[in-house]
Amino acid sequence: MDGSGSMDAWFGNHPHGFYGLIEILRDWAKTLPLTGEKASTNTGAGPASGGLRLGFVQFSGQNPWWFSSGRSEAIQTPDGANKVGTGGHLSGDLGEINDDLDWHEANYMG
């Protein structure tokens, strides 16, 4: 998700782009054939019929959580983020996915 200040503007009929995006992602996740597996479940342990697992990442050119590590840049997870919802993993559980979206909504970087 774009967490930059550019998302402060109108997004469709929503007065704030980032929060409009969160709302759309919530609605979209409800329509997907999720596996129902929690993030702690090993990948591929789900039903043979398939299904999806989701994960969300917020990025921004102004991201204070980016740091330099020699020749490349790496992401530093903000405090507490790994204790919310999926804990930074993929999940097929709508409750965990909504918890992640709640965290992103409360921690908008813009």
Side-chain angles (χ1 to χ4, degrees):
M1 295 179 272
D2 182 355
S4 72
S6 68
M7 294 298 286
D8 290 340
W10 279 84
F11 182 76
N13 293 327
H14 206 285
H16 191 280
F18 187 77
Y19 301 121
L21 175 62
I22 295 285
E23 187 176 316
I24 287 169
L25 290 173
R26 279 187 205 284
D27 290 343
W28 174 66
K30 291 176 192 172
T31 69
L32 297 175
L34 300 172
T35 64
E37 299 171 322
K38 301 265 185 193
S40 59
T41 305
N42 290 333
T43 305
S49 62
L52 300 172
R53 292 165 64 115
L54 301 177
F56 297 101
V57 176
Q58 185 179 160
F59 61 91
S60 170
Q62 302 299 317
N63 184 348
W65 298 317
W66 280 90
F67 64 94
S68 177
S69 62
R71 295 181 305 219
S72 63
E73 291 186 330
I75 295 177
Q76 180 179 358
T77 304
D79 290 341
N82 61 348
K83 296 180 179 94
V84 177
T86 68
H89 302 282
L90 298 175
S91 177
D93 179 79
L94 190 57
E96 286 184 339
I97 291 165
N98 279 322
D99 287 347
D100 275 5
L101 290 170
D102 288 345
W103 184 89
H104 282 288
E105 191 170 26
N107 292 277
Y108 169 55
M109 292 182 225

